[in-house]
Amino acid sequence: MNSLFQSNAMVNAPHMEEGSGDKLARKAKESPFMPIGLAGLAAVCGIGIYKYKTRGSMSTSVFLMQLRVAAQGTVVGALTLGLAYTMANEYLFKKKDGN
């Protein structure tokens, strides 16, 4: 019975066998703004690492809190743009069939 469940699970979920690179490529195709959000996150973290040395008298915890807000804002902004893009393609720019 257990092998029957496992074989049905593999048929219903073929993405379970894919590697991390294949999964990232599939997710990027499904949501084109996800890689932009990840690149923005990496850019904000890189800039934060660079600016950490020149933060002046600001405490580390305050600096990291501001860096976290900037990184989250970048990712949420990219995901929001992706959602707006998807909704616009689906509802606004959708060609009417048969009319």
Side-chain angles (χ1 to χ4, degrees):
M1 182 78 173
N2 192 16
S3 64
L4 178 64
F5 175 72
Q6 288 175 348
S7 65
N8 286 339
M10 295 306 281
V11 170
N12 293 335
H15 61 274
M16 297 294 284
E17 293 182 14
E18 66 187 357
S20 59
D22 295 333
K23 185 175 181 179
L24 182 63
R26 181 177 53 86
K27 291 286 188 179
K29 188 180 284 186
E30 291 173 3
S31 175
F33 282 86
M34 186 199 60
I36 295 170
L38 290 173
L41 173 66
V44 167
C45 289
I47 291 169
I49 290 169
Y50 177 73
K51 289 195 172 203
Y52 182 73
K53 296 260 183 192
T54 61
R55 71 184 188 280
S57 62
M58 183 187 302
S59 70
T60 301
S61 63
V62 171
F63 179 80
L64 291 176
M65 201 65 94
Q66 291 177 352
L67 182 64
R68 179 186 65 90
V69 169
Q72 283 180 329
T74 302
V75 172
V76 168
L79 291 176
T80 303
L81 286 174
L83 179 62
Y85 173 77
T86 302
M87 288 178 65
N89 278 343
E90 189 171 328
Y91 297 111
L92 296 178
F93 305 126
K94 186 176 183 181
K95 294 182 181 176
K96 295 186 180 180
D97 295 329
N99 287 336

